Amino acid sequence: MDALAGSTPFPIPVDYLKYWINQNPTVDWKQLGYKGFENYFNDSVDLYRPIIGTDNSDLSQFKHFGGKMIIWHGWDDKLIPPKGTIHYYNRVLKIMGGQNDTDEFLKLYMAPGVDHCKGGEGADKINGFQSLVNWVENKQPPTTLTAQKIEKGQITLQRPLCPYPQKTVYKGKGDTNNPTNFECQ
């Protein structure tokens, strides 16, 4: 993603500044300076955390009402740092009673080689939605997710994704494109 470095900023934060925070399409981000950016960031938090904030790690109401959540994140994401998702997940674990209690309603899966939601060298087609439906409707929590790389209509890579902090490990024999030849450790 060339737009993440260089003289032209990534367009999403520029538009966010103009249309959401300042509500003025003529705002010039170059005139902000560091202190101006910091003030706009703080304004953003104050204005929108109650509406779209995603950093609250107290998910007790969500759990109480029977919510189920699958989070997956590509290890090669260049837009949203994957370690931020892990940090959030670890905060949830701490507040929600640890791994066993959290596993009742929330699972995190990390996808090796996958960029922001898709792309990269890794298997980026992930069956998260169907796994969530099975969990909610059939009371079958996922143990792994299936990830595939599809190129020109053909599956070129297939792997299971293990719930974090486990990792997918090849058993040492068999086709490396067969998910059954891997285990979670």
Side-chain angles (χ1 to χ4, degrees):
M1 290 186 136
D2 294 331
L4 294 179
S7 60
T8 304
F10 191 63
I12 292 173
V14 172
D15 286 350
Y16 186 76
L17 169 70
K18 287 179 179 182
Y19 302 110
W20 285 69
I21 305 305
N22 205 12
Q23 298 181 6
N24 179 354
T26 64
V27 167
D28 183 3
W29 66 271
K30 293 177 232 159
Q31 303 304 316
L32 289 178
Y34 178 75
K35 192 64 175 167
F37 173 78
E38 184 177 350
N39 290 337
Y40 276 106
F41 176 80
N42 292 334
D43 289 348
S44 173
V45 170
D46 293 343
L47 284 168
Y48 296 111
R49 176 178 272 157
I51 300 166
I52 60 172
T54 58
D55 62 341
N56 185 353
S57 49
D58 181 356
L59 300 177
S60 53
Q61 284 188 324
F62 181 76
K63 180 180 179 182
H64 173 75
F65 287 108
K68 306 293 184 206
M69 185 185 316
I70 294 174
I71 301 171
W72 76 266
H73 199 134
W75 269 117
D76 208 22
D77 191 331
K78 294 169 190 68
L79 184 60
I80 299 174
K83 288 188 178 180
T85 298
I86 292 169
H87 178 70
Y88 171 76
Y89 178 74
N90 286 332
R91 287 188 357 248
V92 171
L93 289 178
K94 186 175 181 180
I95 288 175
M96 299 305 299
Q99 189 77 55
N100 289 337
D101 289 341
T102 303
D103 276 350
E104 294 175 13
F105 72 96
L106 170 67
K107 305 228 183 229
L108 170 63
Y109 297 85
M110 300 302 292
V114 177
D115 200 349
H116 184 69
C117 298
K118 64 178 182 173
E121 297 298 318
D124 61 350
K125 304 292 183 237
I126 297 168
N127 72 330
F129 182 72
Q130 186 57 51
S131 296
L132 183 62
V133 169
N134 281 338
W135 195 4
V136 170
E137 294 182 1
N138 302 321
K139 311 241 182 301
Q140 297 174 349
T143 53
T144 61
L145 298 182
T146 301
Q148 299 176 329
K149 182 73 162 178
I150 301 174
E151 298 174 313
K152 298 180 183 176
Q154 300 293 315
I155 297 172
T156 59
L157 177 64
Q158 189 166 237
R159 294 283 187 279
L161 300 180
C162 299
Y164 185 84
Q166 296 181 73
K167 294 180 180 162
T168 304
V169 177
Y170 179 57
K171 293 178 183 177
K173 64 180 186 175
D175 182 2
T176 57
N177 234 2
N178 184 342
T180 62
N181 292 328
F182 292 82
E183 62 187 357
C184 295
Q185 292 182 359

